[in-house]
Amino acid sequence: MTQARRPLIAGNWKMNGLAATGLALARDIAAWREAGDPGCDIVLCPPATLVRAVGEAISDSAVAVGGQDCHPAESGAHTGDISAPMLLDAGCSYVILGHSERRQDHGETNELVRAKVEAALRAGLIAILCVGESADERDRGVALGAVARQLGGSLPEAARPDRVVVAYEPVWAIGTGRTPTHPEIQEMHAHLRALLGRAMTGGEATRLLYGGSVKPDNARGILGLPDVDGALVGGASLKADDFWAIVQSCR
Ligand code: PGA
């Protein structure tokens, strides 16, 4: 990790958290952040029901709030969906897009993810675009190509290195306790950095997060890799102590 790209630690709460637990978790993180700069940016991505309340609870801190998805349109007849301007209005500055759970559970294609990233950028949000190979693709030795196709299909023309963050999340590492080896992570991140350099002017400067079973005991090793600029943390972001230990591993 090079400090030219300030690291980002993002907590993806997924479908977890009621008001009492969620606000307490967010307040702990914000209080620790305000006690001193840990050397990285922090964003918490609670479920949509808590976005505004979390944002208000930590509004005095440097901790940002993000959504976990948005619709490509600004408004309209889309029952159950939330638009990028709505997330902005509720206090978000980031949004996670193309997470593998949405690609799987909701059949999201690269084309749809690209339209969502475009919507996020139009609204002024920073898009955290997720890509990652399946276990089968890793086993068959085609992970680099699979991830390149995902990135090529879901990164819009309008993307800019300071408005997009790319998260490499191997599907088989999410919530499983398994992670790729350090050389495998570094190889994929270097590959993504080269692809981003070709896709955007200055694209090499895009922040690249690793996600998938990041825990306090493996964070320092992963975050120390040259092309890893932070982490997208699921399970361990639900415990304040664990998440904060990961934040502190940026140094
Ligand atoms: P995990 O999830 O840390 O629980 O593996 C990561 C993610 O899905 O963003």
Side-chain angles (χ1 to χ4, degrees):
M1 174 163 60
T2 138
Q3 291 294 325
R5 302 182 299 268
R6 185 168 159 90
L8 172 67
I9 304 293
N12 175 10
W13 294 4
K14 308 191 180 184
M15 197 173 72
N16 295 290
L18 302 177
T21 51
L23 295 185
L25 174 58
R27 283 197 184 102
D28 278 348
I29 302 297
W32 292 332
R33 168 62 185 84
E34 289 326 285
D37 182 357
C40 62
D41 293 338
I42 303 170
V43 55
L44 303 181
C45 302
T49 47
L50 289 184
V51 159
R52 184 182 293 277
V54 164
E56 285 171 0
I58 63 173
S59 61
D60 290 344
S61 84
V63 176
V65 180
Q68 298 178 10
D69 177 48
C70 72
H71 192 278
E74 283 185 21
S75 61
H78 302 288
T79 303
D81 279 313
I82 294 172
S83 73
M86 289 172 179
L87 289 176
L88 187 79
D89 183 55
C92 289
S93 42
Y94 290 80
V95 59
I96 299 169
L97 294 170
H99 190 282
S100 65
E101 287 155 13
R102 294 212 55 91
R103 291 179 189 260
Q104 276 168 7
D105 296 358
H106 299 272
E108 293 196 3
T109 60
N110 287 334
E111 293 67 36
L112 178 59
V113 174
R114 187 173 60 224
K116 291 182 174 199
V117 175
E118 279 167 357
L121 298 177
R122 272 199 308 275
L125 297 170
I126 296 177
I128 302 177
L129 168 60
C130 302
V131 294
E133 82 281 2
S134 65
D136 178 59
E137 288 164 335
R138 172 62 60 183
D139 290 345
R140 285 190 290 119
V142 298
L144 293 178
V147 167
R149 270 195 306 284
Q150 266 187 341
L151 183 74
S154 44
L155 186 75
E157 288 267 321
R160 296 289 169 266
D162 58 338
R163 307 306 300 169
V164 172
V165 174
V166 173
Y168 166 54
E169 297 208 307
V171 177
W172 52 274
I174 295 175
T176 60
R178 293 168 56 213
T179 58
T181 64
H182 288 174
E184 285 169 343
I185 295 173
Q186 173 55 29
E187 177 187 44
M188 185 63 81
H189 278 233
H191 178 59
L192 283 166
R193 196 171 301 291
L195 292 169
L196 288 160
R198 289 202 285 278
M200 293 182 269
T201 308
E204 300 85 357
T206 308
R207 288 191 286 187
L208 292 178
L209 312 186
Y210 169 77
S213 297
V214 176
K215 307 287 177 208
D217 61 358
N218 63 17
R220 192 170 295 280
I222 293 171
L223 292 167
L225 296 169
D227 283 300
V228 174
D229 308 315
L232 179 54
V233 184
S237 74
L238 297 173
K239 290 199 197 110
D241 290 346
D242 284 359
F243 187 68
W244 194 250
I246 294 168
V247 166
Q248 289 184 306
S249 304
C250 278
R251 282 213 192 274

